[in-house]
Amino acid sequence: MAEQWGHTVCGEDASALADVAFMRLAIEQARLAAAIGEVPIGAVVVCEGEVVAAGYNRREVDADPSAHAEFRALIEASRKLGRWRLTGCTVYVTLEPCLMCAGLMQLARIDRCVFGATDPKGGALGTLYEVHNDARLNHRFEVSAGVCEQECATLLSGFFAQLRAGKEQS
């Protein structure tokens, strides 16, 4: 059960409110990425209703092609929980995961991924691929798309518009 504005909300409404609340935390992580000049993508891992890990893009800063927000958050979650199987966990991420990150989610056996904006150039949870629902693989997980979609998309498009404007002025 969740409480909002003095009303008690149960069932699907509570789940939807929780999804928005956790996505807002992922958006905060994305803003941290933007603050250091990284593409603003953020993620949180939630297990049994508690945030156990968070991450944001650090590919440029760390010179690491695997330093995607959700990849970093999943590794941190495994360390904190002391297990590689992340059954019972949900990953919240501001952009639809790429093939690498969706593959890691599949291998980690997460229960669910919730993402904000779709990725037409690399999305692997419904746009270009369906890693979460591939019958050839040994694990499937639930996906919920479009949570805080406009806010997530605006954060990304604003970042890239600033980059382009900076290049034009140089």
Side-chain angles (χ1 to χ4, degrees):
M1 246 183 342
E3 294 235 356
Q4 181 150 5
W5 304 293
H7 302 288
T8 301
V9 182
C10 301
E12 265 185 53
D13 290 339
S15 178
L17 286 174
D19 283 352
V20 168
F22 290 127
M23 185 60 73
R24 295 231 180 273
L25 296 176
I27 290 168
E28 287 176 22
Q29 291 294 307
R31 291 185 196 287
L32 292 173
I36 61 170
E38 292 279 352
V39 176
I41 301 170
V44 296
V45 178
V46 174
C47 193
E48 297 178 7
E50 298 292 323
V51 174
V52 294
Y56 55 88
N57 261 10
R58 292 185 54 95
R59 290 190 311 170
E60 299 295 332
V61 171
D62 293 346
D64 180 352
S66 71
H68 291 202
E70 58 272 55
F71 202 97
R72 296 181 72 233
L74 283 162
I75 289 170
E76 181 184 340
S78 288
R79 287 186 181 135
K80 282 189 177 173
L81 295 171
R83 55 189 167 102
W84 67 267
R85 283 184 187 90
L86 296 179
T87 305
C89 293
T90 298
V91 178
Y92 291 83
V93 60
T94 57
L95 181 67
E96 181 181 3
C98 69
L99 194 53
M100 174 183 71
C101 293
L104 183 61
M105 290 177 191
Q106 190 274 334
L107 291 170
R109 315 271 201 289
I110 67 161
D111 284 1
R112 184 171 176 240
C113 178
V114 178
F115 67 84
T118 57
D119 184 356
K121 294 182 179 179
L125 296 183
T127 300
L128 298 179
Y129 305 96
E130 291 189 7
V131 173
H132 66 290
N133 197 32
D134 190 322
R136 297 168 295 178
L137 301 174
N138 65 343
H139 174 73
R140 293 187 196 131
F141 57 94
E142 182 184 337
V143 170
S144 298
V147 175
C148 301
E149 180 175 18
Q150 190 59 50
E151 190 172 352
C152 294
T154 299
L155 192 57
L156 286 160
S157 62
F159 174 82
F160 288 114
Q162 269 189 321
L163 263 183
R164 285 188 297 278
K167 286 181 181 178
E168 290 172 4
Q169 293 177 357
S170 309

